[in-house]
Amino acid sequence: MFYGCTIVDASEAFVIIENLSPHCFDSMFEDCKFLTKPLNVFSKNLAVSCFENMYKSCISLTTAPELSYKYLINRCYAYMLSGCTSLREPPI
């Protein structure tokens, strides 16, 4: 969706979804080299690969998204933060 974009801060946006669909945020911000803060996504239920590759290669991302789900689904976070070399702290 925003592959390679110049967005710097996505943290002011809030996405609230009751049930996520498979692959719904897959690669959404991949290779957005200027992104420093992640999107806030809140949902009751995860889906297969829903956040896979979401921030892959976002080399300026300094803040990880909150990962507070109690039950995980197959590949829901696969490679989500792969290549995010500027993260200061791991996701919580």
Side-chain angles (χ1 to χ4, degrees):
M1 179 179 240
F2 298 109
Y3 182 88
C5 70
T6 58
I7 295 171
V8 174
D9 184 353
S11 68
E12 293 186 27
F14 292 93
V15 177
I16 301 172
I17 301 172
E18 181 80 20
N19 296 302
L20 297 176
S21 298
H23 302 279
C24 59
F25 290 99
D26 187 354
S27 302
M28 183 179 217
F29 292 102
E30 183 175 348
D31 207 32
C32 291
K33 301 208 181 300
F34 302 102
L35 187 67
T36 59
K37 296 182 182 174
L39 178 69
N40 294 301
V41 178
F42 302 97
S43 176
K44 287 186 178 180
N45 299 301
L46 297 174
V48 172
S49 301
C50 56
F51 296 118
E52 187 170 1
N53 297 312
M54 187 172 181
Y55 299 104
K56 185 177 181 179
S57 300
C58 290
I59 59 172
S60 297
L61 193 68
T62 56
T63 305
E66 188 174 323
L67 308 178
S68 61
Y69 295 95
K70 187 174 182 179
Y71 300 104
L72 301 181
I73 301 295
N74 190 34
R75 300 184 59 85
C76 61
Y77 294 128
Y79 308 104
M80 180 184 198
L81 299 169
S82 175
C84 296
T85 55
S86 296
L87 285 175
R88 296 181 193 148
E89 296 180 21
I92 53 171

Coordinates of all heavy atoms in Angstrom, one line a residue:
M1 N 0.8 -1.2 0.0 CA 0.0 0.0 0.0 C 0.9 1.3 0.0 O 0.7 2.1 -0.8 CB -1.0 0.0 1.2 CG -1.8 1.2 1.3 SD -2.9 1.2 2.7 CE -4.5 1.3 1.8
F2 N 1.8 1.4 0.9 CA 2.7 2.5 1.0 C 4.1 2.2 0.7 O 5.0 2.9 1.1 CB 2.6 3.2 2.4 CG 1.3 3.6 2.8 CD1 0.5 3.0 3.8 CD2 0.7 4.8 2.2 CE1 -0.7 3.4 4.1 CE2 -0.5 5.2 2.5 CZ -1.3 4.6 3.5
Y3 N 4.4 1.1 0.0 CA 5.7 0.6 -0.3 C 6.6 1.7 -0.7 O 6.3 2.4 -1.7 CB 5.6 -0.5 -1.3 CG 7.0 -1.2 -1.6 CD1 7.4 -2.2 -0.9 CD2 7.8 -0.7 -2.6 CE1 8.6 -2.8 -1.2 CE2 9.0 -1.2 -2.9 CZ 9.4 -2.3 -2.1 OH 10.7 -2.8 -2.4
G4 N 7.7 1.8 0.0 CA 8.8 2.8 -0.4 C 8.4 4.3 -0.2 O 9.0 5.2 -0.7
C5 N 7.3 4.5 0.6 CA 6.8 5.9 0.8 C 7.8 6.8 1.6 O 8.7 6.3 2.2 CB 5.5 5.8 1.6 SG 5.6 5.3 3.3
T6 N 7.4 8.0 1.7 CA 8.2 9.0 2.5 C 7.5 9.4 3.8 O 8.0 10.4 4.4 CB 8.6 10.2 1.7 OG1 7.3 10.8 1.3 CG2 9.4 9.9 0.5
I7 N 6.5 8.6 4.3 CA 5.9 8.9 5.5 C 6.9 8.8 6.7 O 7.7 7.8 6.7 CB 4.7 7.9 5.8 CG1 3.6 8.1 4.7 CG2 4.1 8.1 7.2 CD1 2.5 7.1 4.8
V8 N 6.9 9.7 7.6 CA 7.8 9.7 8.7 C 7.1 9.2 10.0 O 7.7 8.4 10.7 CB 8.4 11.1 9.0 CG1 9.3 11.1 10.2 CG2 9.2 11.6 7.8
D9 N 5.9 9.6 10.3 CA 5.3 9.2 11.5 C 3.8 8.7 11.2 O 3.0 9.5 10.8 CB 5.2 10.4 12.4 CG 4.6 10.2 13.8 OD1 4.1 9.0 14.0 OD2 4.7 11.1 14.7
A10 N 3.6 7.4 11.5 CA 2.3 6.9 11.3 C 1.5 6.7 12.6 O 0.4 6.2 12.6 CB 2.4 5.5 10.5
S11 N 2.2 7.1 13.7 CA 1.6 6.8 15.0 C 0.4 7.6 15.4 O -0.3 7.3 16.3 CB 2.7 7.0 16.1 OG 3.1 8.4 16.2
E12 N 0.1 8.7 14.7 CA -1.1 9.5 15.0 C -2.3 8.9 14.4 O -3.4 9.3 14.8 CB -0.8 10.9 14.5 CG 0.3 11.6 15.3 CD 0.4 13.1 15.0 OE1 -0.6 13.7 14.6 OE2 1.5 13.6 15.2
A13 N -2.2 7.9 13.5 CA -3.4 7.3 12.9 C -3.7 6.1 13.8 O -2.8 5.4 14.3 CB -3.0 6.8 11.5
F14 N -5.0 5.8 14.0 CA -5.5 4.7 14.8 C -6.4 3.9 13.9 O -7.3 4.4 13.3 CB -6.3 5.1 16.0 CG -5.4 5.8 17.0 CD1 -5.3 7.1 17.1 CD2 -4.8 5.0 18.0 CE1 -4.5 7.8 18.0 CE2 -4.0 5.6 19.0 CZ -3.8 7.0 19.0
V15 N -6.1 2.6 13.8 CA -7.0 1.7 13.0 C -7.6 0.7 14.0 O -6.9 0.0 14.7 CB -6.2 0.9 11.9 CG1 -7.0 -0.1 11.2 CG2 -5.5 1.9 11.0
I16 N -8.9 0.7 14.1 CA -9.6 -0.2 15.0 C -10.5 -1.1 14.1 O -11.3 -0.7 13.3 CB -10.5 0.6 16.0 CG1 -9.7 1.5 16.8 CG2 -11.3 -0.4 16.8 CD1 -10.4 2.4 17.7
I17 N -10.2 -2.4 14.2 CA -10.9 -3.4 13.4 C -11.3 -4.6 14.3 O -10.5 -5.1 15.0 CB -10.0 -3.9 12.2 CG1 -9.5 -2.8 11.3 CG2 -10.7 -5.0 11.4 CD1 -8.5 -3.2 10.3
E18 N -12.5 -5.0 14.2 CA -13.0 -6.1 15.0 C -12.2 -7.4 14.7 O -11.7 -8.0 15.6 CB -14.5 -6.3 14.8 CG -15.1 -7.4 15.6 CD -15.4 -7.0 17.0 OE1 -15.5 -5.8 17.3 OE2 -15.6 -7.9 17.9
N19 N -12.2 -7.8 13.5 CA -11.5 -9.0 13.0 C -10.7 -8.7 11.8 O -11.1 -8.2 10.8 CB -12.5 -10.1 12.7 CG -13.4 -10.5 13.8 OD1 -12.9 -10.9 14.9 ND2 -14.7 -10.3 13.7
L20 N -9.4 -9.0 11.9 CA -8.5 -8.8 10.8 C -8.7 -9.9 9.8 O -9.0 -11.0 10.1 CB -7.0 -8.8 11.3 CG -6.7 -7.7 12.3 CD1 -5.2 -7.8 12.8 CD2 -6.8 -6.3 11.6
S21 N -8.3 -9.6 8.5 CA -8.4 -10.6 7.4 C -7.0 -11.1 7.2 O -6.0 -10.4 7.4 CB -9.0 -10.0 6.2 OG -10.3 -9.5 6.4
P22 N -6.9 -12.3 6.6 CA -5.5 -12.8 6.3 C -4.8 -11.8 5.4 O -5.4 -11.3 4.4 CB -5.8 -14.1 5.5 CG -7.1 -14.6 6.1 CD -7.9 -13.3 6.3
H23 N -3.5 -11.5 5.7 CA -2.6 -10.7 4.9 C -3.1 -9.2 4.8 O -2.6 -8.5 4.0 CB -2.5 -11.2 3.4 CG -2.0 -12.6 3.4 ND1 -0.6 -12.9 3.5 CD2 -2.6 -13.8 3.2 CE1 -0.5 -14.2 3.4 NE2 -1.6 -14.8 3.3
C24 N -4.0 -8.8 5.7 CA -4.6 -7.4 5.6 C -3.6 -6.3 5.6 O -3.7 -5.3 5.0 CB -5.7 -7.2 6.5 SG -5.3 -7.4 8.2
F25 N -2.5 -6.4 6.5 CA -1.5 -5.4 6.6 C -0.1 -5.9 6.0 O 0.9 -5.2 6.2 CB -1.3 -4.9 8.0 CG -2.5 -4.2 8.5 CD1 -3.5 -4.8 9.3 CD2 -2.6 -2.8 8.2 CE1 -4.6 -4.1 9.8 CE2 -3.7 -2.1 8.7 CZ -4.7 -2.7 9.5
D26 N -0.1 -7.0 5.3 CA 1.1 -7.6 4.8 C 1.8 -6.5 3.9 O 1.2 -6.0 2.9 CB 0.7 -8.8 4.0 CG 1.9 -9.6 3.5 OD1 3.0 -9.2 3.7 OD2 1.7 -10.7 2.9
S27 N 3.1 -6.3 4.2 CA 4.0 -5.4 3.5 C 3.5 -3.9 3.3 O 3.9 -3.2 2.5 CB 4.2 -6.0 2.1 OG 4.8 -7.2 2.2
M28 N 2.6 -3.5 4.2 CA 2.0 -2.2 4.1 C 3.0 -1.0 4.0 O 2.8 -0.1 3.2 CB 1.0 -2.0 5.2 CG 0.3 -0.6 5.2 SD -0.9 -0.5 6.5 CE -2.2 0.3 5.8
F29 N 4.0 -1.1 4.9 CA 5.0 0.0 5.0 C 6.4 -0.5 4.5 O 7.4 0.1 4.8 CB 5.1 0.6 6.4 CG 3.8 1.3 6.8 CD1 2.9 0.7 7.6 CD2 3.6 2.6 6.3 CE1 1.8 1.4 8.0 CE2 2.5 3.3 6.7 CZ 1.6 2.7 7.6
E30 N 6.4 -1.6 3.9 CA 7.7 -2.2 3.5 C 8.6 -1.2 2.7 O 8.1 -0.5 1.8 CB 7.5 -3.5 2.7 CG 8.8 -4.2 2.3 CD 8.6 -5.5 1.6 OE1 7.5 -6.0 1.6 OE2 9.6 -6.0 1.1
D31 N 9.8 -1.1 3.2 CA 10.8 -0.3 2.5 C 10.5 1.2 2.6 O 11.0 2.0 1.8 CB 11.0 -0.7 1.0 CG 12.4 -0.3 0.5 OD1 13.3 -0.4 1.3 OD2 12.5 0.0 -0.7
C32 N 9.7 1.6 3.6 CA 9.5 3.1 3.9 C 10.7 3.5 4.7 O 10.6 3.5 6.0 CB 8.2 3.3 4.6 SG 6.8 3.0 3.5
K33 N 11.7 3.9 4.1 CA 13.0 4.2 4.8 C 13.0 5.4 5.7 O 13.9 5.5 6.5 CB 14.1 4.4 3.7 CG 14.2 3.2 2.8 CD 15.6 3.0 2.3 CE 15.7 1.8 1.3 NZ 15.5 0.6 1.9
F34 N 12.0 6.3 5.7 CA 12.0 7.4 6.5 C 11.0 7.2 7.7 O 11.0 8.1 8.6 CB 11.5 8.7 5.7 CG 12.5 9.0 4.6 CD1 12.1 8.6 3.3 CD2 13.7 9.5 4.8 CE1 13.0 8.9 2.3 CE2 14.6 9.8 3.8 CZ 14.2 9.5 2.5
L35 N 10.2 6.2 7.7 CA 9.3 5.9 8.8 C 10.0 5.7 10.1 O 10.9 4.8 10.3 CB 8.4 4.7 8.5 CG 7.2 4.4 9.4 CD1 6.2 5.5 9.3 CD2 6.6 3.1 9.1
T36 N 9.6 6.5 11.2 CA 10.2 6.4 12.5 C 9.3 5.8 13.5 O 9.7 5.2 14.5 CB 10.8 7.7 13.0 OG1 9.7 8.7 13.1 CG2 11.9 8.2 12.1
K37 N 8.0 6.0 13.4 CA 7.0 5.6 14.3 C 5.9 4.8 13.6 O 5.4 5.2 12.6 CB 6.4 6.8 15.1 CG 7.4 7.5 15.9 CD 6.8 8.6 16.7 CE 7.9 9.3 17.5 NZ 7.3 10.5 18.1
P38 N 5.5 3.6 14.2 CA 4.5 2.7 13.6 C 3.1 3.2 13.7 O 2.7 3.9 14.5 CB 4.8 1.4 14.3 CG 5.1 1.8 15.7 CD 5.9 3.1 15.5
L39 N 2.3 2.6 12.8 CA 0.8 2.7 12.9 C 0.3 2.0 14.1 O 0.8 1.0 14.5 CB 0.2 2.1 11.6 CG -1.3 2.1 11.4 CD1 -1.8 3.5 11.2 CD2 -1.6 1.2 10.2
N40 N -0.8 2.6 14.7 CA -1.5 1.9 15.8 C -2.6 1.1 15.3 O -3.6 1.7 14.8 CB -2.0 3.0 16.8 CG -0.8 3.7 17.5 OD1 0.0 3.1 18.1 ND2 -0.8 5.0 17.3
V41 N -2.6 -0.2 15.5 CA -3.7 -1.1 15.0 C -4.2 -1.8 16.2 O -3.5 -2.4 17.0 CB -3.2 -2.1 14.0 CG1 -4.3 -3.0 13.6 CG2 -2.5 -1.4 12.8
F42 N -5.5 -1.7 16.4 CA -6.2 -2.4 17.5 C -7.3 -3.3 16.9 O -8.1 -2.9 16.1 CB -6.8 -1.4 18.4 CG -5.8 -0.4 19.0 CD1 -5.7 0.8 18.5 CD2 -5.1 -0.8 20.1 CE1 -4.8 1.7 19.0 CE2 -4.1 0.1 20.6 CZ -4.0 1.3 20.1
S43 N -7.2 -4.6 17.3 CA -8.2 -5.6 16.9 C -8.4 -6.6 17.9 O -7.5 -6.9 18.7 CB -7.7 -6.2 15.6 OG -8.6 -7.2 15.2
K44 N -9.6 -7.2 17.9 CA -9.8 -8.3 18.9 C -9.2 -9.6 18.4 O -8.8 -10.4 19.2 CB -11.3 -8.5 19.1 CG -12.0 -7.4 19.9 CD -13.4 -7.8 20.2 CE -14.1 -6.7 21.0 NZ -15.5 -7.1 21.3
N45 N -9.2 -9.8 17.1 CA -8.7 -11.1 16.6 C -7.7 -10.9 15.4 O -8.0 -10.2 14.5 CB -9.9 -11.9 16.1 CG -10.9 -12.2 17.2 OD1 -10.6 -12.8 18.2 ND2 -12.2 -11.7 17.0
L46 N -6.7 -11.7 15.5 CA -5.7 -11.7 14.5 C -6.1 -12.7 13.4 O -7.0 -13.5 13.5 CB -4.3 -12.1 15.0 CG -3.7 -11.2 16.1 CD1 -2.4 -11.9 16.7 CD2 -3.4 -9.9 15.5
A47 N -5.3 -12.6 12.2 CA -5.6 -13.6 11.1 C -4.2 -14.0 10.6 O -3.2 -13.4 10.8 CB -6.4 -12.9 10.0
V48 N -4.2 -15.1 9.8 CA -3.0 -15.6 9.2 C -2.3 -14.5 8.5 O -2.9 -13.8 7.7 CB -3.3 -16.8 8.3 CG1 -2.1 -17.2 7.5 CG2 -4.0 -17.9 9.1
S49 N -1.0 -14.3 8.8 CA -0.1 -13.4 8.1 C -0.6 -12.0 8.1 O -0.2 -11.2 7.2 CB 0.1 -13.9 6.7 OG 0.7 -15.1 6.7
C50 N -1.4 -11.6 9.0 CA -2.0 -10.2 9.0 C -1.0 -9.1 9.1 O -1.3 -8.0 8.5 CB -3.1 -10.1 10.1 SG -2.6 -10.4 11.7
F51 N 0.1 -9.3 9.8 CA 1.1 -8.2 9.9 C 2.4 -8.6 9.2 O 3.4 -8.0 9.4 CB 1.3 -7.8 11.3 CG 0.1 -7.3 12.0 CD1 -0.4 -7.9 13.1 CD2 -0.4 -6.1 11.6 CE1 -1.5 -7.4 13.8 CE2 -1.5 -5.5 12.3 CZ -2.1 -6.2 13.4
E52 N 2.4 -9.7 8.5 CA 3.6 -10.2 7.9 C 4.3 -9.1 7.0 O 3.6 -8.4 6.2 CB 3.3 -11.4 7.0 CG 4.6 -12.1 6.5 CD 4.3 -13.5 5.8 OE1 3.1 -13.9 5.8 OE2 5.2 -14.1 5.4
N53 N 5.6 -8.9 7.2 CA 6.4 -7.9 6.4 C 5.9 -6.5 6.6 O 6.4 -5.6 5.8 CB 6.5 -8.3 4.9 CG 7.1 -9.6 4.7 OD1 8.2 -9.9 5.2 ND2 6.4 -10.5 3.9
M54 N 5.1 -6.2 7.5 CA 4.5 -4.9 7.6 C 5.5 -3.7 7.6 O 5.3 -2.7 6.9 CB 3.6 -4.8 8.8 CG 2.8 -3.5 8.9 SD 1.6 -3.6 10.2 CE 0.7 -2.0 10.0
Y55 N 6.6 -3.9 8.3 CA 7.6 -2.8 8.4 C 8.9 -3.3 7.9 O 10.0 -2.7 8.2 CB 7.7 -2.3 9.9 CG 6.5 -1.8 10.4 CD1 5.7 -2.5 11.3 CD2 6.0 -0.5 10.1 CE1 4.5 -2.0 11.8 CE2 4.9 0.0 10.6 CZ 4.1 -0.7 11.5 OH 3.0 -0.2 12.0
K56 N 8.9 -4.3 7.1 CA 10.2 -4.9 6.6 C 11.0 -3.8 5.9 O 10.6 -3.0 5.1 CB 9.9 -6.0 5.6 CG 11.1 -6.7 5.1 CD 10.7 -7.9 4.2 CE 12.0 -8.6 3.7 NZ 11.6 -9.7 2.9
S57 N 12.3 -3.7 6.3 CA 13.3 -2.8 5.8 C 13.0 -1.3 6.0 O 13.4 -0.4 5.3 CB 13.5 -3.0 4.3 OG 13.9 -4.3 4.0
C58 N 12.2 -1.0 7.1 CA 12.0 0.4 7.5 C 13.2 0.7 8.4 O 13.1 0.6 9.6 CB 10.7 0.5 8.3 SG 9.2 0.3 7.2
I59 N 14.3 1.1 7.8 CA 15.5 1.3 8.4 C 15.6 2.4 9.5 O 16.5 2.5 10.3 CB 16.7 1.4 7.4 CG1 16.5 2.6 6.5 CG2 16.8 0.2 6.6 CD1 17.7 3.0 5.6
S60 N 14.6 3.4 9.4 CA 14.6 4.5 10.4 C 13.6 4.3 11.5 O 13.5 5.1 12.4 CB 14.2 5.8 9.6 OG 15.2 6.1 8.7
L61 N 12.9 3.1 11.5 CA 11.9 2.9 12.5 C 12.6 2.7 13.9 O 13.4 1.9 14.1 CB 11.1 1.6 12.2 CG 9.9 1.3 13.0 CD1 8.8 2.3 12.7 CD2 9.3 -0.1 12.7
T62 N 12.3 3.6 14.8 CA 12.9 3.6 16.1 C 12.0 3.1 17.2 O 12.5 2.7 18.3 CB 13.4 5.1 16.5 OG1 12.3 5.9 16.5 CG2 14.5 5.6 15.6
T63 N 10.7 3.1 17.0 CA 9.8 2.6 17.9 C 9.0 1.4 17.3 O 8.5 1.5 16.2 CB 8.7 3.7 18.3 OG1 9.4 4.8 18.7 CG2 7.8 3.2 19.3
A64 N 9.0 0.3 18.0 CA 8.3 -0.9 17.6 C 6.8 -0.8 17.9 O 6.4 -0.1 18.8 CB 8.8 -2.1 18.2
P65 N 5.9 -1.4 17.1 CA 4.5 -1.4 17.4 C 4.2 -2.2 18.6 O 5.0 -3.1 19.0 CB 3.9 -2.0 16.1 CG 5.0 -2.8 15.6 CD 6.2 -2.2 15.9
E66 N 3.1 -1.9 19.3 CA 2.7 -2.7 20.4 C 2.1 -4.0 20.0 O 1.3 -4.0 19.1 CB 1.7 -1.9 21.2 CG 1.3 -2.5 22.5 CD 0.4 -1.7 23.4 OE1 0.5 -0.5 23.4 OE2 -0.5 -2.3 24.0
L67 N 2.6 -5.1 20.5 CA 2.2 -6.4 20.1 C 1.6 -7.1 21.4 O 2.1 -8.0 21.9 CB 3.4 -7.2 19.6 CG 4.2 -6.6 18.5 CD1 5.4 -7.5 18.2 CD2 3.4 -6.3 17.3
S68 N 0.4 -6.6 21.8 CA -0.2 -7.1 23.0 C -1.3 -8.1 22.9 O -2.2 -8.2 23.7 CB -0.8 -5.9 23.7 OG -1.8 -5.2 22.9
Y69 N -1.2 -8.9 21.8 CA -2.3 -9.9 21.6 C -2.0 -11.2 22.5 O -0.8 -11.6 22.6 CB -2.4 -10.3 20.2 CG -2.9 -9.2 19.3 CD1 -1.9 -8.3 18.6 CD2 -4.2 -8.9 19.2 CE1 -2.4 -7.3 17.9 CE2 -4.7 -7.8 18.5 CZ -3.7 -7.0 17.8 OH -4.2 -6.0 17.0
K70 N -3.0 -11.7 23.1 CA -2.9 -12.9 24.0 C -2.7 -14.2 23.2 O -1.9 -15.0 23.5 CB -4.1 -13.0 24.9 CG -4.0 -14.0 26.0 CD -5.1 -13.9 26.9 CE -5.0 -14.9 28.0 NZ -6.1 -14.8 29.0
Y71 N -3.4 -14.3 22.1 CA -3.4 -15.5 21.3 C -2.9 -15.2 19.9 O -3.4 -14.3 19.2 CB -4.8 -16.2 21.2 CG -5.3 -16.6 22.5 CD1 -6.3 -15.8 23.1 CD2 -4.8 -17.7 23.1 CE1 -6.8 -16.2 24.4 CE2 -5.3 -18.0 24.4 CZ -6.3 -17.3 25.0 OH -6.7 -17.6 26.2
L72 N -1.8 -15.8 19.4 CA -1.3 -15.6 18.1 C -1.8 -16.6 17.1 O -2.2 -17.7 17.4 CB 0.3 -15.7 18.2 CG 0.9 -14.7 19.2 CD1 2.4 -14.8 19.1 CD2 0.5 -13.2 18.8
I73 N -1.8 -16.2 15.9 CA -2.2 -17.0 14.7 C -1.0 -17.2 13.8 O -0.1 -16.4 13.8 CB -3.3 -16.2 13.9 CG1 -4.5 -15.9 14.8 CG2 -3.7 -17.0 12.7 CD1 -5.3 -17.1 15.3
N74 N -1.0 -18.3 13.1 CA 0.1 -18.7 12.2 C 0.6 -17.5 11.4 O -0.2 -16.9 10.7 CB -0.4 -19.8 11.3 CG 0.8 -20.5 10.5 OD1 1.9 -20.5 11.0 ND2 0.5 -20.9 9.3
R75 N 1.9 -17.2 11.5 CA 2.6 -16.2 10.7 C 2.1 -14.8 10.9 O 2.4 -13.9 10.1 CB 2.7 -16.6 9.3 CG 3.4 -17.9 9.0 CD 3.5 -18.2 7.5 NE 4.3 -17.2 6.8 CZ 5.6 -17.2 6.7 NH1 6.3 -18.1 7.3 NH2 6.2 -16.2 6.0
C76 N 1.3 -14.5 11.9 CA 0.7 -13.2 12.1 C 1.8 -12.1 12.1 O 1.5 -11.0 11.7 CB -0.2 -13.1 13.3 SG 0.6 -13.5 14.9
Y77 N 3.0 -12.3 12.7 CA 4.0 -11.3 12.8 C 5.3 -11.7 12.0 O 6.3 -11.2 12.2 CB 4.4 -11.1 14.3 CG 3.4 -10.5 15.1 CD1 3.0 -11.1 16.3 CD2 2.7 -9.3 14.8 CE1 2.1 -10.5 17.2 CE2 1.8 -8.8 15.6 CZ 1.4 -9.4 16.8 OH 0.5 -8.8 17.6
A78 N 5.2 -12.7 11.1 CA 6.3 -13.2 10.4 C 7.1 -12.0 9.7 O 6.5 -11.3 8.9 CB 5.9 -14.2 9.4
Y79 N 8.3 -11.9 10.0 CA 9.2 -10.9 9.3 C 8.7 -9.4 9.5 O 9.1 -8.6 8.7 CB 9.5 -11.2 7.9 CG 9.9 -12.6 7.7 CD1 9.1 -13.6 7.2 CD2 11.2 -13.0 8.0 CE1 9.5 -14.9 7.0 CE2 11.6 -14.3 7.9 CZ 10.8 -15.3 7.4 OH 11.2 -16.6 7.2
M80 N 7.8 -9.2 10.4 CA 7.2 -7.9 10.6 C 8.3 -6.8 10.7 O 8.1 -5.7 10.1 CB 6.3 -7.9 11.8 CG 5.6 -6.5 12.0 SD 4.7 -6.6 13.6 CE 3.6 -5.3 13.4
L81 N 9.3 -7.0 11.5 CA 10.4 -6.0 11.7 C 11.7 -6.4 11.1 O 12.7 -5.8 11.5 CB 10.5 -5.8 13.2 CG 9.2 -5.3 13.9 CD1 9.3 -5.4 15.4 CD2 8.8 -3.9 13.5
S82 N 11.7 -7.3 10.2 CA 13.0 -7.7 9.5 C 13.6 -6.5 8.8 O 13.0 -5.8 8.1 CB 12.6 -8.8 8.5 OG 13.8 -9.1 7.8
G83 N 14.9 -6.3 9.1 CA 15.6 -5.2 8.5 C 15.4 -3.8 9.2 O 15.9 -2.8 8.6
C84 N 14.7 -3.8 10.3 CA 14.5 -2.5 11.0 C 15.7 -2.3 11.9 O 15.6 -2.6 13.1 CB 13.2 -2.6 11.8 SG 11.7 -2.7 10.7
T85 N 16.8 -1.8 11.4 CA 18.0 -1.7 12.1 C 18.1 -0.6 13.1 O 19.1 -0.5 13.8 CB 19.2 -1.6 11.1 OG1 18.9 -0.4 10.2 CG2 19.3 -2.8 10.2
S86 N 17.2 0.3 13.2 CA 17.3 1.5 14.1 C 16.4 1.3 15.3 O 16.3 2.2 16.1 CB 16.9 2.8 13.4 OG 17.8 3.1 12.4
L87 N 15.7 0.1 15.5 CA 14.9 -0.1 16.7 C 15.7 0.1 18.0 O 16.8 -0.5 18.1 CB 14.2 -1.4 16.6 CG 13.1 -1.6 15.7 CD1 12.6 -3.0 15.6 CD2 11.9 -0.6 16.0
R88 N 15.2 0.9 18.9 CA 15.8 1.1 20.2 C 15.5 0.0 21.2 O 16.3 -0.3 22.1 CB 15.5 2.5 20.7 CG 16.0 3.6 19.8 CD 15.7 4.9 20.4 NE 15.9 5.9 19.4 CZ 15.2 7.1 19.4 NH1 14.2 7.3 20.2 NH2 15.5 7.9 18.4
E89 N 14.2 -0.4 21.2 CA 13.7 -1.4 22.1 C 12.9 -2.5 21.4 O 12.3 -2.1 20.4 CB 12.9 -0.7 23.2 CG 13.6 0.2 24.1 CD 12.7 0.9 25.1 OE1 11.6 0.3 25.4 OE2 13.1 2.0 25.6
P90 N 12.8 -3.7 21.9 CA 12.0 -4.7 21.3 C 10.5 -4.4 21.5 O 10.1 -3.6 22.4 CB 12.4 -6.0 22.0 CG 12.9 -5.5 23.3 CD 13.5 -4.2 23.1
P91 N 9.6 -4.9 20.7 CA 8.2 -4.7 20.9 C 7.7 -5.3 22.2 O 8.3 -6.2 22.7 CB 7.6 -5.4 19.7 CG 8.6 -6.2 19.0 CD 9.9 -5.8 19.6
I92 N 6.6 -4.7 22.7 CA 6.1 -5.2 24.0 C 4.7 -5.8 23.7 O 4.1 -5.6 22.7 CB 5.9 -4.1 25.0 CG1 5.1 -2.9 24.4 CG2 7.2 -3.6 25.5 CD1 4.7 -1.9 25.4

